[in-house]
């Protein structure tokens, strides 16, 4: 299972780097989305995979049994997904506003604020 | 008690959203930041007398729950953010404009303070990430508030790189959790101290890049000069003062507490990037002509000094770095605010058109002169002692190259400050002077306060150096920090 996840994380990172290097702003945002998902999967895999053992304990038990799934990485990813969602939504609106003001979607044209006067 | 730096901005955000009246909004904002400053000075006093303060949120014992911790370093940072908060909240009342104030400038400003203070007092690395995001989200909104084209464009660059750094940060956190099974900083420090076979270098590099982007260190700084000059100057000054310093805080915290192996590699890397950051930042500043862009590049250059103190890694070096952060935040915010005053008076930020301020407004010239010379490091102003401590620490630990660069960069900083001074202040204005614009007290007061702090930091340097030395000792002996959080007993 780890091998499949590791390969897919690598694939997602590769896609995101490719998209981040394109000139279109929309592709840049898609690249950021892929990067966020690759990172979430990485956190999930690094936290350790446990097959078929839910993250619950019996009512009368005080301490968790051996080999229980760790709920913390899932909580971390949930937080990261929510934050990532908010940020991506903000970025999309920003791109829309920028496009309506400047009429361009080409990152090579986005150089006004770096101009040397 | 120690939740006050978080609770006060949070309460004021809620209150601010209830009122539509601008006067109420200003009143709430100024009152809240004043309370924030008072409570952080009170906390500094408590930490000074009683040692490290800890609160376990929700009464979950460490390392299960999230602790809030204030040690000397955090307390100094909190006082700093309190001072900047009150200055910006006063300055913004006559700088950002009615429209922006109506569209929630004040709540966003308080949200930024909330995120910054949260980052300073949390004792959990994932919680640190969440506070970073609170701060970043507020800064994104403040940056684009007003929807000018330049603002939107700067925001695209700033947001893309900030998001990249957030993802590097969270990847580093995930790898640390996989390796050690804990997110609590003190627990992490304990585990890493006992077992030095841990594979921490990947996480350390991810943290280094993530904080490096946020602190605008050498290879990662391009977002800063592209975006900081676009919003109103009150917002620029707020960003210049606080945002990058949170990145530096993260670097100092993580590299003194839990990335403590392979020191020869990491400290060399920190020193090399510090030197490059200083030199490249100041050289790019020297070639600019827009005051705000000159000052933006200076931020980068000064970040190098803070990283240098961390890279030297002696008590004196760290104490110097903390002193330098405090001095730099005061002086840098002040120069930005004075640039805003110049724009109010003359309608320009550009050295080609700004002329003759010294003749017309000697007081404004003085207000610029003090922080500019403090940044360049002239005695008896605050910058001199910061640089003195850092260079002394460098020479004592035989880091001659970085000490040489620190002194060289200091001279070029002086050169570019004199460039602004000569053109904007001393050169005669050929145009017939127009009717004098009135300088409102709300614009002048924050600059006067910050300038007098720059002088006070210089004259009363020994008192402040004592405080930063305590902070440095706490940082370099993490046993107290670990014991304060984990309660001595190993769980």
């Amino acid at each position: 299972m780890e091998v499949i996840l590791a390969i897919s994380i690598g694939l997602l990172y590769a896609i995101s780097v490719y998209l981040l290097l394109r000139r279109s702003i929309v592709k840049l945002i898609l690249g950021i989305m892929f990067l966020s998902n690759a990172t979430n999967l990485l956190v999930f895999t690094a936290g350790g995979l446990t097959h078929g053992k839910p993250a619950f304990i019996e009512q009368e038990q005080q301490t968790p049994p051996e080999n229980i799934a760790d709920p913390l990485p899932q909580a971390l990813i949930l937080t990261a997904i929510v934050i990532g969602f908010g940020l991506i939504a903000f970025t999309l609106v920003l791109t829309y506003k920028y496009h309506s003001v400047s009429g361009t979607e080409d990152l090579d044209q986005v150089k006004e604020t770096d101009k040397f006067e | 008690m120690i939740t006050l730096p978080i609770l006060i901005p949070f309460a004021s955000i809620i209150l601010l959203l209830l009122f539509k009246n601008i006067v109420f909004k200003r009143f709430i904002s100024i009152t809240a930041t004043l309370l924030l400053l008072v409570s952080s000075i009170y906390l500094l006093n408590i930490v000074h007398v009683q040692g490290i303060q800890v609160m376990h949120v929700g009464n979950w014992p460490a390392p299960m729950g999230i602790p809030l911790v204030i040690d000397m370093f955090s307390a100094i940072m909190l006082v700093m953010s309190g001072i900047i908060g009150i200055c910006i909240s006063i300055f913004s009342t006559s700088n950002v404009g009615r429209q922006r104030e109506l569209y929630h400038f004040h709540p966003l400003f308080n949200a930024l303070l909330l995120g910054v203070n949260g980052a300073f007092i949390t004792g959990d690395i994932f919680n640190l990430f969440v506070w970073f995001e609170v701060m970043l989200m507020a800064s994104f909104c403040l940056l684009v508030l007003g929807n000018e084209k330049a603002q939107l464009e700067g925001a695209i660059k700033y947001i893309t790189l900030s998001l990249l750094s957030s993802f590097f940060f969270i990847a580093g956190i995930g790898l640390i959790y996989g390796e050690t099974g804990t997110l609590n900083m003190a627990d992490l420090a304990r585990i890493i101290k006992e077992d030095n076979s841990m594979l921490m270098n990947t996480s350390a590099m991810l943290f280094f890049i993530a904080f490096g982007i946020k602190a605008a260190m050498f290879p990662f700084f391009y977002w800063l000069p592209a975006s900081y000059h676009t919003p109103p100057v009150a917002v620029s000054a707020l960003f210049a003062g606080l945002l990058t310093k949170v990145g530096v805080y993260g670097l100092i915290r993580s590299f003194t507490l839990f990335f403590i192996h392979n020191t020869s590699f990491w400290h060399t890397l920190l020193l090399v990037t510090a030197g490059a950051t200083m030199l490249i930042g100041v050289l790019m500043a020297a070639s600019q002509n827009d005051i705000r862009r000159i000052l933006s590049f200076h931020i980068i250059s000064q970040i190098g000094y803070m990283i240098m103190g961390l890279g030297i890694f002696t008590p004196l070096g760290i104490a110097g770095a903390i002193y330098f952060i405090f001095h730099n935040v005061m002086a840098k915010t002040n120069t930005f605010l004075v640039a805003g005053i110049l724009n109010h008076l003359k309608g320009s930020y550009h050295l080609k058109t700004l002329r003759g301020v010294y003749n017309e407004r000697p007081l404004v010239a003085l207000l610029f002169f003090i922080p500019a010379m403090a940044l360049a490091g002239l005695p008896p102003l605050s910058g001199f002692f910061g640089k003195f401590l850092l260079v002394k620490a460098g020479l004592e630990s035989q880091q001659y190259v970085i000490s040489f660069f620190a002194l060289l960069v200091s001279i070029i900083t002086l050169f570019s400050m004199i460039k602004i001074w000569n053109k904007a202040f001393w050169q005669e204005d050929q145009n017939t002077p127009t009717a004098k614009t009135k300088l409102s007290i709300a614009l002048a007061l924050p600059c006067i306060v910050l300038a007098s702090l720059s002088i006070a930091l210089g004259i009363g340097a020994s008192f402040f150096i004592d405080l930063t030395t305590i902070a440095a000792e706490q940082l370099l002996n993490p046993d107290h920090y670990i014991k304060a959080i984990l309660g001595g007993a190993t769980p």
Side-chain angles (χ1 to χ4, degrees):
Chain A
M1 193 61 192
E2 274 91 347
V3 178
I4 302 171
L5 277 172
I7 292 172
S8 45
I9 292 167
L11 205 62
L12 285 173
Y13 270 117
I15 295 172
S16 80
V17 170
Y18 176 74
L19 286 169
L20 284 172
L21 297 176
R22 300 297 297 273
R23 276 171 56 179
S24 150
I25 298 181
V26 175
K27 283 176 186 146
L28 177 84
I29 295 176
L30 284 174
I32 293 174
M33 285 173 175
F34 272 102
L35 193 64
S36 124
N37 287 330
T39 311
N40 289 342
L41 264 186
L42 174 70
V43 174
F44 183 61
T45 316
L49 301 175
T50 319
H51 188 68
K53 295 275 197 318
F56 300 116
I57 57 173
E58 300 287 337
Q59 205 165 14
E60 58 270 15
Q61 275 179 314
Q62 290 297 315
T63 50
E66 292 289 301
N67 287 332
I68 190 173
D70 187 353
L72 196 71
Q74 301 173 26
L76 300 188
I77 295 166
L78 188 62
T79 318
I81 289 174
V82 173
I83 291 174
F85 169 75
L87 291 171
I88 298 282
F90 184 86
T91 320
L92 278 173
V93 176
L94 175 73
T95 319
Y96 170 73
K97 279 302 281 188
Y98 180 71
H99 184 260
S100 65
V101 173
S102 70
T104 179
E105 204 247 337
D106 184 351
L107 277 174
D108 280 3
Q109 305 301 319
V110 188
K111 55 188 177 189
E112 287 293 315
T113 60
D114 275 316
K115 217 187 251 169
F116 177 80
E117 290 165 67
Chain B
M1 191 59 221
I2 75 171
T3 50
L4 275 182
I6 302 179
L7 283 182
I8 293 171
F10 191 69
S12 81
I13 294 171
I14 297 173
L15 274 177
L16 282 163
L17 289 173
L18 295 178
F19 292 104
K20 276 220 151 132
N21 188 319
I22 288 188
V23 181
F24 277 154
K25 276 180 186 280
R26 288 173 180 172
F27 176 74
I28 295 169
S29 203
I30 292 174
T31 320
T33 43
L34 191 62
L35 280 176
L36 191 62
L37 177 60
V38 172
S39 65
S40 30
I41 292 174
Y42 178 65
L43 282 170
L44 178 72
N45 186 34
I46 288 187
V47 172
H48 189 45
V49 177
Q50 299 175 4
I52 300 172
Q53 299 290 307
V54 184
M55 184 189 138
H56 299 284
V57 177
N59 255 342
W60 290 93
M64 301 305 166
I66 295 171
L68 298 179
V69 193
I70 300 190
D71 62 353
M72 205 63 192
F73 182 33
S74 305
I76 293 173
M77 295 283 125
L78 286 174
V79 172
M80 176 191 96
S81 89
I83 294 172
I84 298 304
I86 183 83
C87 288
I88 300 290
S89 67
I90 295 173
F91 192 87
S92 66
T93 54
S94 52
N95 176 261
V96 296
R98 283 185 77 81
Q99 210 58 26
R100 286 192 174 91
E101 283 188 82
L102 270 178
Y103 282 92
H104 307 308
F105 167 80
H106 293 293
L108 288 168
F109 161 65
N110 277 284
L112 190 107
L113 288 180
L114 170 72
V116 169
N117 288 346
F120 288 153
I121 67 176
T122 184
D124 180 286
I125 43 176
F126 191 77
N127 199 235
L128 180 63
F129 165 75
V130 175
W131 286 121
F132 259 114
E133 294 308 309
V134 172
M135 175 188 95
L136 285 179
M137 198 70 201
S139 71
F140 295 163
C141 297
L142 279 174
L143 186 59
V144 297
L145 196 67
N147 272 335
E148 283 163 23
K149 191 185 167 203
Q151 287 186 306
L152 295 170
E153 191 183 318
I156 289 179
K157 295 167 186 171
Y158 173 53
I159 288 175
T160 310
L161 281 168
S162 300
L163 287 181
L164 277 183
S165 88
S166 298
F167 295 136
F168 283 130
F169 190 16
I170 200 168
I173 292 172
L175 291 178
I176 284 186
Y177 184 73
E179 183 73 23
T180 63
T182 185
L183 291 172
N184 185 302
M185 288 189 201
D187 199 26
L188 201 60
R190 181 184 63 81
I191 291 173
I192 289 170
K193 217 172 165 186
E194 283 165 12
D195 179 6
N196 53 16
S197 63
M198 291 275 180
L199 295 169
M200 297 301 284
N201 271 347
T202 319
S203 311
M205 188 52 100
L206 285 165
F207 270 59
F208 177 75
I209 295 174
F211 290 139
I213 293 178
K214 276 166 185 150
M217 263 157 54
F218 156 58
F220 316 117
F221 63 73
Y222 293 96
W223 57 270
L224 193 148
S227 60
Y228 269 26
H229 63 287
T230 56
V233 84
V235 178
S236 299
L238 178 66
F239 286 9
L242 289 180
L243 286 189
T244 47
K245 278 53 177 193
V246 186
V248 177
Y249 170 85
L251 274 176
I252 293 183
R253 181 66 79 197
S254 57
F255 279 89
T256 53
L257 196 55
F258 44 87
F259 296 137
I260 46 173
H261 298 312
N262 297 325
T263 43
S264 61
F265 168 72
W266 283 109
H267 293 167
T268 314
L269 181 68
L270 285 168
L271 283 177
V272 170
T273 44
T277 312
M278 281 180 205
L279 192 66
I280 292 176
V282 81
L283 286 179
M284 289 177 89
S287 67
Q288 301 290 324
N289 276 320
D290 182 318
I291 292 187
R292 289 171 304 172
R293 274 176 67 82
I294 297 178
L295 296 175
S296 300
F297 279 111
H298 273 302
I299 301 175
I300 298 164
S301 159
Q302 312 274 327
I303 293 289
Y305 285 93
M306 303 164 198
I307 310 295
M308 169 187 165
L310 175 62
I312 293 171
F313 213 74
T314 57
L316 191 65
I318 305 263
I322 299 170
Y323 182 90
F324 197 87
I325 294 175
F326 199 90
H327 133 74
N328 185 250
V329 169
M330 300 306 138
K332 180 53 72 186
T333 311
N334 199 357
T335 45
F336 264 94
L337 295 181
V338 176
I341 291 183
L342 291 182
N343 186 46
H344 270 267
L345 297 176
K346 308 287 259 179
S348 169
Y349 289 108
H350 209 281
L351 286 185
K352 276 181 189 145
T353 46
L354 273 172
R355 290 287 181 267
V357 181
Y358 181 76
N359 279 339
E360 288 174 35
R361 301 275 182 170
L363 175 71
V364 175
L366 182 68
L367 281 181
F368 180 79
F369 188 76
I370 293 170
M373 291 303 122
L375 281 179
L378 258 62
L381 296 166
S382 54
F384 171 74
F385 293 97
K387 286 178 183 172
F388 174 73
L389 288 180
L390 288 169
V391 172
K392 186 168 176 234
L395 292 178
E396 276 178 4
S397 50
Q398 274 115 39
Q399 306 284 2
Y400 298 117
V401 182
I402 191 80
S403 310
F404 169 74
F405 272 113
L407 294 172
L408 175 74
V409 168
S410 199
I411 296 172
I412 311 178
T413 310
L414 184 62
F415 159 73
S416 67
M417 286 304 164
I418 288 177
K419 179 180 164 185
I420 300 181
W421 179 258
N422 277 349
K423 291 212 166 153
F425 292 91
W426 262 356
Q427 206 162 78
E428 293 289 325
D429 197 348
Q430 302 299 335
N431 307 330
T432 45
T434 45
K436 269 196 170 183
T437 336
K438 207 169 174 316
L439 183 60
S440 69
I441 185 80
L443 290 177
L445 184 67
C447 298
I448 295 170
V449 169
L450 287 173
S452 30
L453 270 169
S454 279
I455 299 174
L457 270 177
I459 292 173
S462 67
F463 172 69
F464 288 98
I465 292 172
D466 283 348
L467 289 183
T468 58
T469 309
I470 297 174
E473 272 159 12
Q474 284 180 353
L475 284 172
L476 288 175
N477 302 310
D479 290 339
H480 298 294
Y481 186 89
I482 298 170
K483 209 174 165 194
I485 295 175
L486 298 179
T490 41

